[in-house]
Amino acid sequence: MTETVLEIKNLQVEYHTEHGDVQAVRGINYKVNKGETVALVGESGCGKSASVKPIMGEKEANQVIKSGEINFTYQTENGQKTVDLLKISPKEVQSQIKGKEIAMVFQDPMTSLDPTMKIEKQIAEAVKASSPQINKEQLNKRVLELIETVGIQNADVVKKQYPHQLSGGMRQRIVIAIALSGNPSLLICDEPTTGLDVTIQAKILNLIKDIQKSRKLSVIFITHNLGVVANIATNVNVMYAGKIVETGTTEDIFFDPRHPYTWGLLESVPDVNEAVKELPTIAGTIPDLTQPVVGDAFAPRNKYALNIDFKEQPPMFEVNDHHYAATWLLDKRAPKVEIPTVLKRRIEKMKKEAEADGE
Amino acid sequence: MKKYVLKRLLIAVVTLFLITLILFVMEKAMPGSPFNDEKMSHAQVAALYRKYGLDGPIWLQFFNYLKNMITGDFGVSYTVQVNTPVTTMIFQHFKISLQIGLQATILGSIIGFFMGVLAAVKKGTIWDNLMTGISVLGISLPNFVVALIISLIFSYKLMVLPGTYQQTQPFVSSILPTIALSTFTMASIERYVRNDMITIMDSDYYRLADSKGIKKYQLIMHHVIRNTLISVITVLAPLMIDLIAGSMVIEKAFAIPGLGTLYISAIQANDYNVVLGITFFYAVLFIGIMLVVDILYGLIDPRIRLDEGE
Ligand SMILES: Nc1ncnc2c1ncn2[C@@H]1O[C@H](COP(=O)(O)OP(=O)(O)O)[C@@H](O)[C@H]1O
Ligand SMILES: [Mg+2]
């Protein structure tokens, strides 16, 4: 029986600016079940970060939440409790949720630690926030434990250091240690590997995956690189211009993608087996979100776009009961469009590899 | 860190030497003589020149002077207070300037700091606007205008505080000059603290600290104010130097016998030794404080403290 940990309903987020109101998130819906990793994928500026900030009660001065519900279910001493994170007070979010039930790993490990505070103090602060009664000895032990949990060998040395003395990979491990310090049930990773070297990226990715498995965490994993999520996600939400345009299991998205935007994202994932050549990127840029969007926001960049794509917002067409995509190409009246042949070949290959791996 | 301190020290010494050299040369190149009393004959003036060693080659004069300075001997005054050692004069006058300057620094920075914190924490509210208004006023009003206004109110209208310096009541007579002198510091510190705190509250490390679920005041104290305090030292130092050097304007406005007043009299009277002595003293003061601040900053900021080598 799957338990839903987080359910986002019709979330709309705007930012007031001098140039108008940026409709960063235009009504998104998704669920995160216990022990699942849900990926949010899309180009930079698609509203991925904007869509998770309200979960942590992060309130920028010009941010306006136009509508929506964020229902979060967690265990308390008195059993299970479900709250709408947008309705409860900031005080309650701070004392009950942040760091304790939901924790976050940020994009840039080089700047996300306090430059003038020792590592141990930064971790201890997080531990104390969730267990205020802890005594000094236990606190020390817990800090060391956390540093070791994230795969750092010489915890004794590292805890006495300052952020600038550590490499980017090490810093990101510390950030993960801080996130784990309150034993959260939901972890939000906002581009956790984007700022890192390719070799380190894989290690951090594996660390997150291991931690997710061993602690049965639910994870929201944000990235602009669809290639990163193949090994880590259970479900994938593809986001474009503040909307989810395709959602499905990882297999659905990788083996049977339906939205031309998803095709574009898949094509721009580097293929390790092919000789390195110019990576195709999706032509054009994301639309100006201060202007109202008519039809499918992706239509102007979409070479398969139908007339109706420019006029009317496509609904989420069902492919199967866990796979949906918002493109008029899925309407039964639409002409049959084949997915790009290069991509088709790649998918066949991936499928074969996956089968081989499975045996 | 050792290397860092040594490097700073070396730079300080070289700077000081260069400043003295430049000043000495400039002073020599200027027209006018300390003995331009019309009643003296040429022979008498020449005798005085000989007496004070002003007749030798210029490099020898400089060399002698430098040697004397290193041993703390700035010579004696020729005209302002004839034959009084310059050192004695400087310290007499500096005491008053230092007292008022320190008081103004402390007053201005404490009030400015709290105003800045208030403005940053209440960013975008009426409080922020109020603090901005006060500090814009503080930065743009020249301090002699402030001096005029407050002496008008407290000295002439209410008659609670003296408007001119009284040797018999050094503290009471320092109150108005302290306030007049502190407004610029207060306003500058307010601006700096507000902007620095807002920058920090927009930083990634603030976001991370906030995501730990710690209390708001803890977040502000440990991550924002702590880091602001570290960097505020660097702006405070030059402001402080300005104040303790003895503001000529404020000393004039309140008739304070401070170092600024002495400096002006010495310049007007072409009293070489006094001018050079005070200038050298200022240079030592400036460079000394900057040095202390650099080292202090190095001690507080781990990014500098722990950087071995380089
Ligand atoms: N504080 C803000 N003020 C104004 N616009 C913002 C702000 N934060 C984000 N935006 C805008 O909202 C959109 C979505 O941003 P974001 O969620 O950060 O994208 P992503 O995380 O997918 O790269 C972008 O157009 C961005 O410019
Ligand atoms: Mg982002």
Side-chain angles (χ1 to χ4, degrees):
Chain A
M1 167 72 215
T2 51
E3 277 174 61
T4 300
V5 173
L6 189 81
E7 184 175 21
I8 296 186
K9 285 187 188 163
N10 192 29
L11 180 66
Q12 277 183 290
V13 182
E14 280 187 14
Y15 287 107
H16 285 315
T17 71
E18 300 163 27
H19 313 291
D21 296 346
V22 181
Q23 299 173 308
V25 180
R26 299 185 299 136
I28 61 170
N29 300 279
Y30 64 88
K31 274 187 193 172
V32 183
N33 292 329
K34 191 167 161 42
E36 273 183 7
T37 299
V38 173
L40 277 181
V41 189
E43 289 164 294
S44 179
C46 278
K48 306 182 296 293
S49 298
S51 77
V52 294
K53 280 176 182 170
I55 303 176
M56 286 293 273
E58 264 193 81
K59 186 113 187 65
E60 287 129 317
N62 61 343
Q63 175 214 59
V64 186
I65 296 173
K66 298 290 277 192
S67 74
E69 279 176 37
I70 302 178
N71 295 320
F72 178 63
T73 306
Y74 63 108
Q75 298 296 328
T76 66
E77 290 132 39
N78 318 319
Q80 222 174 49
K81 188 176 173 187
T82 299
V83 290
D84 181 349
L85 295 175
L86 296 179
K87 296 249 163 57
I88 62 176
S89 70
K91 185 98 191 90
E92 194 174 343
V93 174
Q94 177 258 312
S95 64
Q96 307 296 321
I97 308 291
K98 260 197 234 177
K100 291 131 198 132
E101 290 300 330
I102 307 178
M104 189 143 181
V105 176
F106 296 87
Q107 173 165 351
D108 191 354
M110 299 317 266
T111 54
S112 48
L113 293 167
D114 188 331
T116 62
M117 197 184 265
K118 279 191 183 157
I119 298 300
E120 63 179 339
K121 210 170 160 206
Q122 303 200 38
I123 301 177
E125 196 178 49
V127 174
K128 273 193 282 188
S130 55
S131 17
Q133 310 300 345
I134 197 165
N135 68 34
K136 224 171 163 158
E137 203 180 316
Q138 284 173 311
L139 180 64
N140 262 327
K141 219 177 109 208
R142 184 94 178 93
V143 168
L144 275 178
E145 237 171 58
L146 281 162
I147 300 180
E148 280 159 5
T149 307
V150 293
I152 294 175
Q153 310 288 335
N154 46 347
D156 279 318
V157 182
V158 170
K159 71 172 193 170
K160 295 275 178 224
Q161 290 184 306
Y162 287 92
H164 77 277
Q165 296 173 291
L166 304 175
S167 68
M170 287 285 263
R171 291 190 212 186
Q172 197 61 308
R173 286 175 195 270
I174 298 295
V175 172
I176 294 171
I178 289 173
L180 296 178
S181 62
N183 274 323
S185 50
L186 175 66
L187 189 65
I188 302 172
C189 303
D190 191 349
E191 310 237 13
T193 62
T194 305
L196 300 170
D197 289 347
V198 184
T199 47
I200 315 284
Q201 277 187 15
K203 288 187 182 151
I204 296 292
L205 223 49
N206 281 332
L207 175 67
I208 294 173
K209 200 173 157 185
D210 291 346
I211 286 169
Q212 186 273 329
K213 279 222 177 87
S214 63
R215 299 184 172 227
K216 299 193 175 53
L217 289 179
S218 308
V219 175
I220 297 177
F221 192 96
I222 296 179
T223 177
H224 64 268
N225 179 358
L226 196 43
V228 167
V229 304
N231 289 317
I232 196 167
T234 358
N235 296 292
V236 179
N237 293 317
V238 178
M239 253 184 109
Y240 186 75
K243 269 193 176 301
I244 291 176
V245 295
E246 184 160 6
T247 177
T249 64
T250 308
E251 279 99 60
D252 292 336
I253 301 298
F254 279 85
F255 297 154
D256 187 21
R258 295 303 178 101
H259 199 288
Y261 182 61
T262 313
W263 298 346
L265 286 179
L266 278 169
E267 280 176 319
S268 56
V269 173
D271 185 339
V272 279
N273 300 316
E274 271 168 41
V276 187
K277 50 180 181 223
E278 195 74 16
L279 258 178
T281 51
I282 307 169
T285 52
I286 55 171
D288 176 4
L289 291 174
T290 55
Q291 304 304 322
V293 176
V294 182
D296 179 359
F298 187 60
R301 301 169 70 185
N302 179 5
K303 61 181 170 202
Y304 308 100
L306 307 170
N307 269 338
I308 189 166
D309 276 315
F310 290 91
K311 294 190 187 118
E312 205 174 317
Q313 169 64 47
M316 276 295 213
F317 287 100
E318 180 174 330
V319 180
N320 59 45
D321 68 344
H322 43 72
H323 185 187
Y324 298 83
T327 167
W328 285 112
L329 292 179
L330 291 178
D331 190 277
K332 32 182 196 309
R333 290 159 296 178
K336 185 120 180 75
V337 170
E338 283 294 325
I339 81 171
T341 42
V342 181
L343 186 60
K344 201 167 175 183
R345 243 184 286 133
R346 256 172 92 169
I347 291 173
E348 309 267 87
K349 212 165 80 189
M350 283 196 296
K351 267 188 185 161
K352 282 211 189 83
E353 279 164 14
E355 275 162 23
D357 279 353
E359 279 160 13
Chain B
M1 184 68 199
K2 225 186 257 159
K3 242 182 178 163
Y4 173 78
V5 172
L6 249 105
K7 205 165 104 188
R8 285 295 124 101
L9 264 171
L10 194 72
I11 294 174
V13 170
V14 172
T15 318
L16 216 52
F17 177 82
L18 288 177
I19 286 174
T20 324
L21 180 66
I22 291 166
L23 282 171
F24 184 80
V25 171
M26 269 170 49
E27 186 80 23
K28 282 287 161 191
M30 273 202 287
S33 146
F35 315 112
N36 48 6
D37 191 331
E38 275 149 31
K39 279 171 279 177
M40 280 194 283
S41 69
H42 273 297
Q44 275 175 309
V45 172
L48 277 171
Y49 265 78
R50 212 168 313 117
K51 182 180 168 203
Y52 291 116
L54 294 176
D55 55 347
I58 203 164
W59 62 267
L60 197 67
Q61 285 180 37
F62 177 69
F63 218 72
N64 276 335
Y65 192 81
L66 200 64
K67 191 187 77 198
N68 290 340
M69 267 192 320
I70 290 165
T71 54
D73 176 10
F74 297 92
V76 294
S77 165
Y78 303 139
T79 47
V80 175
Q81 266 176 272
V82 182
N83 279 335
T84 317
V86 171
T87 324
T88 314
M89 290 168 70
I90 291 179
F91 281 109
Q92 258 172 18
H93 290 82
F94 180 57
K95 247 175 44 195
I96 302 171
S97 300
L98 179 70
Q99 183 209 341
I100 295 174
L102 279 182
Q103 285 173 190
T105 307
I106 293 168
L107 183 74
S109 48
I110 290 179
I111 295 183
F113 186 80
F114 282 109
M115 284 171 62
V117 172
L118 181 64
V121 173
K122 306 256 177 211
K123 185 188 157 196
T125 67
I126 177 97
W127 287 106
D128 187 14
N129 297 337
L130 189 67
M131 296 302 120
T132 303
I134 295 176
S135 65
V136 165
L137 216 62
I139 286 175
S140 49
L141 270 189
N143 54 16
F144 65 85
V145 175
V146 180
L148 265 173
I149 297 172
I150 58 175
S151 33
L152 199 70
I153 299 174
F154 294 100
S155 177
Y156 299 106
K157 277 263 151 58
L158 303 176
M159 289 194 287
V160 284
L161 290 166
T164 54
Y165 197 81
Q166 324 268 293
Q167 298 280 4
T168 47
Q169 314 174 274
F171 179 70
V172 175
S173 20
S174 76
I175 294 177
L176 290 185
T178 298
I179 294 172
L181 208 50
S182 69
T183 50
F184 186 78
T185 303
M186 179 199 78
S188 311
I189 296 289
E190 191 276 336
R191 288 286 83 187
Y192 183 84
V193 167
R194 175 189 181 274
N195 294 340
D196 196 54
M197 282 182 67
I198 287 173
T199 310
I200 294 175
M201 289 194 278
D202 210 30
S203 72
D204 289 348
Y205 71 80
Y206 177 86
R207 268 186 85 197
L208 177 87
D210 187 21
S211 79
K212 294 173 185 175
I214 55 179
K215 295 200 173 68
K216 179 88 179 188
Y217 91 91
Q218 199 185 348
L219 187 63
I220 301 284
M221 290 305 287
H222 291 189
H223 296 281
V224 185
I225 291 188
R226 231 179 99 262
N227 282 298
T228 297
L229 274 176
I230 289 176
S231 55
V232 89
I233 298 174
T234 45
V235 272
L236 189 58
L239 286 169
M240 178 165 99
I241 291 170
D242 263 7
L243 299 193
I244 63 177
S247 155
M248 294 168 201
V249 175
I250 293 295
E251 288 186 358
K252 187 116 201 141
F254 292 99
I256 300 164
L259 199 56
T261 308
L262 178 65
Y263 201 28
I264 293 178
S265 331
I267 290 172
Q268 283 167 347
N270 273 327
D271 200 341
Y272 292 164
N273 280 355
V274 180
V275 173
L276 221 52
I278 295 180
T279 312
F280 184 76
F281 178 77
Y282 278 160
V284 172
L285 196 71
F286 289 16
I287 293 171
I289 291 181
M290 290 315 278
L291 183 71
V292 168
V293 167
D294 270 353
I295 293 174
L296 208 64
Y297 195 70
L299 279 178
I300 307 175
D301 193 329
R303 281 165 296 186
I304 302 175
R305 175 171 18 116
L306 302 171
D307 258 352
E308 298 303 334
E310 204 270 316

